[in-house]
């Protein structure tokens, strides 16, 4: 048995839901950016200068 009704948020819940969705999108984009930069940096290799840059 499945539920085929769509649930619509009430006025009080709508602002909370919109805030949650915007925060989730922010975290997703941040993780994607970090993953892409990690791949680019990993292919360059580790040198003394790159380690010093990461520590600063």
């Amino acid at each position: 048995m499945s539920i085929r009704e769509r649930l619509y948020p009430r006025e009080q819940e709508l602002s909370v839901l919109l805030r949650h969705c915007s925060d989730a999108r922010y975290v997703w984009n941040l993780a994607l950016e970090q993953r892409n930069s990690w791949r680019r940096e990993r292919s360059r290799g580790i040198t003394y200068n790159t380690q010093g840059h990461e520590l600063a």
Side-chain angles (χ1 to χ4, degrees):
M1 182 179 197
S2 64
I3 299 173
R4 294 187 181 250
E5 296 179 21
R6 183 172 178 163
L7 300 175
Y8 292 97
R10 293 183 287 230
E11 284 294 323
Q12 303 92 350
E13 299 168 339
L14 187 60
S15 64
V16 174
L17 183 62
L18 289 174
R19 174 65 190 237
H20 171 75
C21 290
S22 68
D23 290 347
R25 182 177 300 258
Y26 173 78
V27 170
W28 175 264
N29 289 335
L30 183 64
L32 186 62
E33 181 182 337
Q34 288 179 350
R35 179 177 177 263
N36 289 338
S37 69
W38 179 77
R39 282 185 164 190
R40 281 191 304 260
E41 291 174 4
R42 187 176 167 113
S43 64
R44 286 188 295 178
I46 299 173
T47 64
Y48 178 77
N49 291 333
T50 57
Q51 285 180 346
H53 179 72
E54 290 176 3
L55 292 175

